[in-house]
Amino acid sequence: MTKNLKTGFGRCAICGGQLIRELLAIQEPDRFERHLGVTRDGYVRRWVECDSCGAVTNVYPEGVIARLESLAAGYYEVDFRSSTIGQKYAEVMSLPAARSDNAQRVGRIRSFLAEWCAAEGGKESRALDIGAGTGVFLSRFLQDTSRDSQAWSAIAVEPDPVAAEHLRSLGQFNVRQEVFSADSGLTGFDLCTLNKVIEHLADPVRLLHEASSALSPQQGVLYVEVPAKETLLHRPPEDNILGALHRHLYDVASLNAAIGRAGLVVMRIDRLYEPSGKISIAAFAARPEAAEIRSRRGAA
Ligand SMILES: [Zn+2]
């Protein structure tokens, strides 16, 4: 493929930098692409690093993005052909905490919130999970926080009809079957979570910005978790994380850049080595007003 050296593979959607350095070329369509009729004939998909923020962008063969977008609201049909989403839920929920990425995530968030919240006694807190998927996160979060003194209620937003039906069947939280946006009318949340969601989006900064509108301006916390770009070095090219459904892989600097460009303040950001072997980046962020309030309280 001939590429103008100056423009490389185009612009980084996160920071506007140049996509220059190819880190991996994949020669085989993954199972989602095959499902959509993409063949291996002349197929090359490339993971290309931004020279500015360091995020790695999935650069597709022509025509593939349009096909993938046709799958957008129905990918569980492909993903769970051999088992049901309910079985997947039961399987993950039954893992012992030490072996569960999800239990570790819930622990991480509870411990951040314990430091962050000046919880007003007796008032119920509200959580919003965007892209709730199997629902394992919200279920575990509600179970584990029910042992704390703070009461929580939650809303799950999930566009996939199969997943949304499953989430409703759990009967633990409200479910909105839709694509979340700032127009969803969801506001004032104490916690908003994007667990392995923004890596699926061509424009992650936009969703981060829209999610900020769902946060309580005084104390809302946004938790964002994404796959780390080191995955490129430690997993085989056919690994799901390197597949066609993921648009970007991140490091600490690039997730920090994405959150900052969305107008939020990063409060904490970490690299995670998850029990499943996944390497991920996780950040806690807040609106500038909330960060300011927390700083004043911290300095008092
Ligand atoms: Zn960039």
Side-chain angles (χ1 to χ4, degrees):
M1 185 184 287
T2 316
K3 282 280 165 191
N4 181 331
L5 256 186
K6 217 168 167 208
T7 55
F9 293 89
R11 292 277 182 182
C12 170
I14 293 159
C15 78
Q18 306 277 7
L19 300 179
I20 298 282
R21 197 156 76 99
E22 180 182 308
L23 300 185
L24 181 69
I26 293 173
Q27 319 277 349
E28 287 273 346
D30 75 1
R31 69 185 198 283
F32 295 99
E33 293 170 303
R34 290 197 302 272
H35 173 81
L36 295 164
V38 177
T39 65
R40 60 184 301 188
D41 191 25
Y43 177 95
V44 188
R45 185 162 51 77
R46 300 163 199 274
W47 284 101
V48 185
E49 190 179 44
C50 169
D51 71 346
S52 178
C53 76
V56 189
T57 296
N58 207 351
V59 179
Y60 299 82
E62 216 175 312
V64 170
I65 287 187
R67 293 202 202 190
L68 287 168
E69 278 166 356
S70 73
L71 187 69
Y75 90 91
Y76 285 100
E77 271 176 52
V78 186
D79 215 18
F80 292 114
R81 262 186 303 180
S82 56
S83 66
T84 70
I85 189 166
Q87 284 166 340
K88 180 79 185 162
Y89 169 86
E91 204 179 287
V92 176
M93 289 300 282
S94 69
L95 285 173
R99 280 181 35 219
S100 163
D101 295 357
N102 185 53
Q104 303 286 315
R105 170 193 293 151
V106 169
R108 196 154 50 239
I109 293 173
R110 282 170 70 207
S111 98
F112 180 88
L113 290 172
E115 270 180 48
W116 169 265
C117 282
E120 300 158 43
K123 193 167 162 261
E124 188 179 75
S125 296
R126 297 168 66 230
L128 175 69
D129 189 29
I130 299 173
T134 61
V136 291
F137 168 70
L138 269 190
S139 284
R140 181 104 199 191
F141 180 79
L142 292 173
Q143 270 174 29
D144 289 4
T145 53
S146 71
R147 297 198 299 267
D148 301 341
S149 51
Q150 187 59 33
W152 284 84
S153 66
I155 295 179
V157 179
E158 173 53 59
D160 184 286
V162 177
E165 190 188 319
H166 154 77
L167 291 167
R168 274 187 218 104
S169 76
L170 299 175
Q172 299 170 18
F173 37 76
N174 289 316
V175 179
R176 303 251 312 230
Q177 189 196 324
E178 63 186 55
V179 174
F180 172 83
S181 82
D183 302 327
S184 298
L186 295 162
T187 57
F189 288 86
D190 301 285
L191 173 69
C192 173
T193 46
L194 287 164
N195 294 317
K196 305 276 166 64
V197 168
I198 67 165
E199 67 272 24
H200 292 270
L201 303 176
D203 187 355
V205 174
R206 182 173 160 181
L207 179 63
L208 289 167
H209 181 68
E210 298 205 34
S212 74
S213 71
L215 294 175
S216 152
Q218 291 80 32
Q219 60 181 27
V221 171
L222 179 68
Y223 176 78
V224 188
E225 194 182 291
V226 291
K229 73 190 223 191
E230 291 97 313
T231 307
L232 286 161
L233 305 173
H234 301 292
R235 292 282 181 114
E238 62 275 15
D239 192 281
N240 257 338
I241 296 169
L242 307 178
L245 294 185
H246 288 169
R247 298 298 190 94
H248 304 99
L249 301 173
Y250 292 80
D251 59 11
V252 165
S254 47
L255 182 57
N256 192 65
I259 293 170
R261 283 175 72 98
L264 290 156
V265 179
V266 173
M267 308 306 299
R268 183 183 297 171
I269 190 160
D270 284 315
R271 179 178 280 96
L272 312 175
Y273 299 95
E274 303 194 73
S276 65
K278 287 179 187 159
I279 310 175
S280 303
I281 309 290
F284 292 90
R287 284 163 67 158
E289 311 92 293
E292 173 60 23
I293 290 169
R294 183 65 187 85
S295 296
R296 263 188 271 133
R297 189 153 55 83

